[in-house]
Amino acid sequence: LLVSLILGGCSNTEVRPGVYMSNDPADFPFPTSGYAVYIVGETHGNRETKLIFLSYLQRLYEEAGLRDVILEEDQGHESDANAYVRGETAAFPARLCLRADILGQIREFNASLPTNEKVSVHLVDVDSPLGTIHKHLGELHAQLGPAGEAVHFPDLDEFRSWRSAPMYELIDEIRQAAGDQPDILNGLDTVQLSLEWYYLGNRLEIGQPRGSRRIFAPLREDVMTQNIQHVLSQLN
């Protein structure tokens, strides 16, 4: 599983502490065994990081059997991201413009691979703005099938007119209808925490986040940690 990159501590590779310099990412002694998660840290917009990502993706795919990539992005757009990187649609999801380079690389990497061998992506961040929260909740409601027919799901305009209480009540109704379906339940956890994050002042549709980062930043970290753990548990 590739999220990003941790160096050191792996007995199965010749990774040594220190500073490595090269114009070719293939020269770096990145580990390809001994870990469940491989992490590549990113400075947003840094072109060199993307070169390392592609090189490391190729190695982990071939040497470690990697088929899954986790990205720090709104979970509500995961289905759109996978449809794009797996070649099921040519339309790039506009809301994921900050990940265009990475998603484009994965799409190109997948192009020549059979369907059951393509790399999939998992998005683990909070949903924002409110339209994304509504989109994600709607997809989870749709996954209920017949079990969700008794649950009224509002359109976006109606949803925006609600206060927080009926939004949380809707989440509870969908949760009860979901039974023991782990992916739906995990998605509902993300939606609920995303609403909490939203009401703490993170209303991105009207500007930069407001409020105390000491309060809302840990909440976002909790969402991503929980979602990464869920991905690992489902992928075994």
Side-chain angles (χ1 to χ4, degrees):
L1 179 68
L2 174 64
V3 193
S4 303
L5 163 72
I6 299 174
L7 288 178
C10 181
S11 60
N12 297 328
T13 61
E14 295 182 354
V15 177
R16 301 183 304 279
V19 177
Y20 293 83
M21 299 181 65
S22 173
N23 290 324
D24 185 353
D27 291 339
F28 295 112
F30 296 154
T32 56
S33 63
Y35 296 99
V37 179
Y38 298 83
I39 301 178
V40 177
E42 179 198 12
T43 299
H44 293 328
N46 185 295
R47 179 176 178 272
E48 287 73 20
T49 304
K50 311 308 186 299
L51 297 176
I52 291 174
F53 173 88
L54 181 58
S55 175
Y56 203 18
L57 173 62
Q58 292 171 333
R59 287 190 57 190
L60 287 169
Y61 185 93
E62 295 169 359
E63 299 176 30
L66 177 143
R67 297 295 183 272
D68 297 272
V69 173
I70 288 176
L71 294 175
E72 177 192 344
E73 188 55 82
D74 298 18
Q75 190 179 67
H77 296 304
E78 183 171 303
S79 59
D80 296 333
N82 273 304
Y84 180 72
V85 301
R86 296 178 65 85
E88 297 164 5
T89 178
F92 182 82
R95 284 285 185 179
L96 296 176
C97 58
L98 295 179
R99 304 290 174 262
D101 43 14
I102 289 293
L103 294 176
Q105 286 181 339
I106 299 174
R107 179 183 171 89
E108 291 178 11
F109 184 82
N110 276 336
S112 62
L113 300 173
T115 301
N116 62 343
E117 294 295 326
K118 293 182 187 294
V119 172
S120 296
V121 295
H122 305 270
L123 309 187
V124 296
D125 209 341
V126 294
D127 296 322
S128 183
L130 191 63
T132 302
I133 295 174
H134 176 268
K135 174 183 182 297
H136 192 184
L137 191 55
E139 290 183 352
L140 296 170
H141 175 257
Q143 289 174 32
L144 294 174
E149 292 177 358
V151 179
H152 166 67
F153 191 82
D155 62 23
L156 181 56
D157 288 339
E158 181 183 351
F159 191 70
R160 289 188 190 280
S161 71
W162 287 3
R163 295 183 180 273
S164 60
M167 293 180 180
Y168 290 124
E169 290 172 5
L170 176 59
I171 293 172
D172 289 340
E173 287 185 60
I174 296 175
R175 191 184 302 277
Q176 291 174 9
D180 59 356
Q181 299 180 68
D183 287 340
I184 296 180
L185 294 176
N186 179 75
L188 290 171
D189 287 343
T190 296
V191 169
Q192 180 149 347
L193 291 172
S194 296
L195 273 175
E196 291 182 26
W197 196 72
Y198 175 82
Y199 282 112
L200 284 170
N202 296 281
R203 304 189 180 194
L204 300 186
E205 57 263 61
I206 61 173
Q208 293 298 314
R210 303 174 183 177
S212 173
R213 287 186 178 273
R214 291 184 179 180
I215 297 176
F216 66 68
L219 179 61
R220 183 181 173 207
E221 298 298 331
D222 288 344
V223 171
M224 289 193 284
T225 299
Q226 179 175 324
N227 284 333
I228 291 172
Q229 290 173 331
H230 175 73
V231 170
L232 291 173
S233 70
Q234 296 305 299
L235 294 177
N236 191 26

